[in-house]
Amino acid sequence: MHQITPLDHTHYDEMLAAGQEVRPSYQHFASWLNQATPDWLRNKQAEADTLFRRVGITFAVYGDESGAERLIPFDTIPRIISAAEWKTLEAGCIQRVTALNRFLHDIYHEQDILKAGIIPAEQILTNAGYQLAMQGIDLPRQVYAHIAGVDIIRHSDGGFYVLEDNLRTPSGVSYMLENRKMMMRLFPELFASHDITPVEHYPNMLLDTLRSVSPPEVDNPTVVVLTPGQYNSAYFEHAFLASQMGVELVEGQDLFVKNGHVYMRTTSGPQRVDVIYRRLDDAYLDPLAFNAGSMLGVPGLMSVYREGRVSVCNAVGTGVADDKSIYPYVPDMIRFYLGEEPILHNVPTWQLRKAEDLAYVLDHLPELVVKEVHGAGGYGMLVGPAATTEEIAAYRLRILEDPANFIAQPTLSLSTCPTFVEAGIAPRHIDLRPFVLSGKKVQLVAGGLTRVALREGSLVVNSSQGGGTKDTWILKEDITC
């Protein structure tokens, strides 16, 4: 296990090195920022908020009784990554997702990694994300996670670490694209003075990826985006991506199965569908195979899928690989399937299903971050240093009820980036989610979604928990002093 230096009261500042010296990648931007007045920046921030609301770039929060759509806060100060750093991040993400796809194919076929004893078989075969219906199905190019979001943080030691893998229905790429458009509109002069790698070709890359995994006998595949509907928290993104790719956005009721194929209802009659980019969970995809009460899916879809007459992206059953209890084994997957050492390291993780790990975590709860293995969106977690004595005591009881449902990690010192807040420009903690596409080849656009914890001192960057987003700039060439 790669060790992280112990957390202290320092953190890595993306813009400023020791002694407040501006890092090379930020030099041009810092000169520009020093000339900008607070009132001018505040007006630009207000302009961005107005434009985002006009376009409808919002999201819903489950459990919010008002049901109101929220505007994701957008910060006008970008996160800048050097060309050399991006080269490492890109190679590490490609390596990681390649290994995860090999793992998924293996556990639904020969199960070599289980036979080798590298991962306990019961931890996979009894996992809620493992789908028995996927055993033995041969998928085009043996790809399961066609779209993956890898959450990465930079710790106080300056190194990049993977916090988690998102392989089911990763979201946020629409904000990456819209953030870039907004920055180019608000600050065109910055793009004239910086050589920034573009991201706007992502929808074309996504469409090419989806088409490349169509059933083998199809020459000109029809692709659709399957959404649960307008009340889903990420509905804006579903509609946005369908529009950008030039494909139909459909709900389950728009599709039907007939004569061993999936068809879409259109005004000119049924049209065969070859690739479904689904944005709903496995349980709701097919009421005949999974949740019988689902009104969101397509009855009979799994029978067509098993016969190889339609492709579903991401594949059914990918959830087992982004389960937080499986995350600690990804470095071993890389060694087992690729014969390589991991380029990007994991965060040290305690699995509370293990008695020794459980005992340690219970003794150190005030120092640790504890998460549910199936948790998402920042919900259901304990951040020990920020929790009250009562909250820690209550969480301890939750752990003891079902230890296997939790993992724990050290409280990391996420890097900070200058952020425009009410008091002016101040450091706020950030992470990064690059989006990896796997089809004919494994690739990603040079960028990703930078999420920022807007509350001072907060380490929770999720939009559902009050986090915001930034544009992410990858420089084409490194700047030397």
Side-chain angles (χ1 to χ4, degrees):
M1 183 182 290
H2 185 82
Q3 295 298 313
I4 296 178
T5 54
L7 178 69
D8 55 23
H9 296 294
T10 65
H11 57 261
Y12 185 98
D13 189 294
E14 297 286 340
M15 181 171 168
L16 299 175
Q20 300 298 294
E21 181 182 348
V22 177
R23 299 187 190 278
S25 57
Y26 271 90
Q27 297 240 330
H28 293 327
F29 179 80
S31 297
W32 173 89
L33 187 61
N34 286 336
Q35 298 174 27
T37 66
D39 286 342
W40 184 76
L41 285 174
R42 193 169 286 108
N43 289 337
K44 287 292 184 180
Q45 186 71 58
E47 184 181 346
D49 292 345
T50 299
L51 290 170
F52 273 141
R53 194 173 297 280
R54 187 178 300 163
V55 174
I57 305 175
T58 58
F59 74 104
V61 176
Y62 296 125
D64 185 348
E65 295 182 0
S66 70
E69 292 281 319
R70 298 188 187 179
L71 189 71
I72 291 185
F74 168 69
D75 182 57
T76 51
I77 298 178
R79 191 251 184 96
I80 303 176
I81 297 174
S82 71
E85 288 175 330
W86 177 252
K87 187 176 180 180
T88 299
L89 287 169
E90 180 180 44
C93 287
I94 288 173
Q95 179 195 58
R96 193 173 181 94
V97 173
T98 299
L100 283 163
N101 270 310
R102 294 278 295 274
F103 164 73
L104 284 162
H105 177 79
D106 183 26
I107 62 172
Y108 289 115
H109 289 81
E110 300 301 321
Q111 301 183 347
D112 290 331
I113 200 167
L114 306 186
K115 294 173 184 175
I118 292 172
I119 304 177
E122 67 274 10
Q123 206 162 333
I124 300 297
L125 303 179
T126 63
N127 191 289
Y130 186 80
Q131 295 290 357
L132 289 173
M134 289 298 293
Q135 287 186 346
I137 297 181
D138 293 321
L139 301 183
R141 305 185 189 277
Q142 298 185 1
V143 174
Y144 286 72
H146 308 85
I147 303 98
V150 183
D151 289 349
I152 298 171
I153 61 98
R154 196 202 298 260
H155 187 52
S156 57
D157 61 7
F160 291 107
Y161 296 83
V162 176
L163 198 57
E164 63 182 53
D165 306 288
N166 300 277
L167 305 180
R168 282 173 282 189
T169 54
S171 63
V173 76
S174 60
Y175 305 114
M176 174 190 81
L177 297 169
E178 287 295 327
N179 287 352
R180 177 59 54 84
K181 286 170 61 177
M182 183 61 69
M183 288 294 286
M184 294 179 74
R185 176 169 182 165
L186 293 177
F187 310 112
E189 70 277 9
L190 285 175
F191 290 84
S193 61
H194 290 77
D195 201 6
I196 303 165
T197 308
V199 297
E200 61 268 16
H201 57 296
Y202 176 85
N204 292 334
M205 288 175 59
L206 175 59
L207 182 58
D208 288 346
T209 297
L210 296 172
R211 290 170 64 91
S212 75
V213 294
S214 64
E217 76 278 6
V218 180
D219 293 327
N220 187 26
T222 296
V223 178
V224 299
V225 177
L226 175 61
T227 176
Q230 62 180 327
Y231 298 109
N232 183 267
S233 63
Y235 180 73
F236 164 79
E237 178 158 296
H238 307 166
F240 175 87
L241 290 175
S243 173
Q244 292 294 306
M245 288 190 291
V247 304
E248 294 295 332
L249 177 69
V250 299
E251 298 183 26
Q253 61 191 0
D254 300 318
L255 304 178
F256 65 93
V257 171
K258 185 177 181 180
N259 298 329
H261 293 284
V262 177
Y263 292 89
M264 169 174 52
R265 294 181 172 89
T266 74
T267 54
S268 56
Q271 180 180 351
R272 179 176 160 178
V273 172
D274 305 299
V275 182
I276 299 173
Y277 176 24
R278 53 84 171 236
R279 295 298 297 259
L280 66 161
D281 292 338
D282 290 354
Y284 304 104
L285 272 176
D286 181 351
L288 300 183
F290 303 117
N291 185 342
S294 173
M295 303 294 289
L296 303 175
V298 184
L301 172 61
M302 279 302 295
S303 64
V304 182
Y305 186 38
R306 287 187 64 88
E307 293 297 323
R309 296 187 182 129
V310 70
S311 294
V312 177
C313 306
N314 285 350
V316 175
T318 56
V320 65
D322 74 3
D323 184 296
K324 292 179 178 63
S325 69
I326 305 303
Y327 158 91
Y329 298 103
V330 177
D332 292 325
M333 295 178 199
I334 293 170
R335 298 182 186 104
F336 184 77
Y337 295 114
L338 307 182
E340 301 169 357
E341 283 300 308
I343 296 170
L344 297 175
H345 294 289
N346 269 22
V347 174
T349 302
W350 291 272
Q351 300 186 62
L352 274 58
R353 64 172 59 241
K354 299 179 180 179
E356 185 179 345
D357 287 8
L358 174 62
Y360 178 86
V361 170
L362 291 176
D363 285 343
H364 295 83
L365 279 177
E367 308 163 20
L368 304 173
V369 174
V370 188
K371 304 175 183 177
E372 297 173 338
V373 296
H374 301 299
Y379 294 106
M381 61 188 287
L382 173 78
V383 180
T388 64
T389 303
E390 292 76 16
E391 289 170 337
I392 291 173
Y395 209 93
R396 178 187 298 272
L397 295 177
R398 288 186 59 201
I399 292 172
L400 291 172
E401 286 178 5
D402 185 11
N405 190 45
F406 298 90
I407 58 100
Q409 295 171 330
T411 305
L412 300 180
S413 180
L414 276 64
S415 67
T416 61
C417 185
T419 301
F420 193 75
V421 294
E422 283 190 24
I425 297 173
R428 292 292 185 267
H429 294 289
I430 58 172
D431 77 351
L432 175 67
R433 177 179 291 181
F435 295 90
V436 185
L437 300 176
S438 300
K440 190 174 182 179
K441 58 182 177 179
V442 185
Q443 59 186 329
L444 57 166
V445 294
L449 179 66
T450 290
R451 301 182 298 179
V452 54
L454 294 173
R455 289 194 285 267
E456 185 176 3
S458 173
L459 298 173
V460 182
V461 298
N462 307 78
S463 57
S464 55
Q465 306 292 307
T469 65
K470 289 174 171 283
D471 192 13
T472 307
W473 294 2
I474 310 300
L475 300 180
K476 289 184 180 178
E477 296 182 3
D478 284 340
I479 300 170
T480 56
C481 296

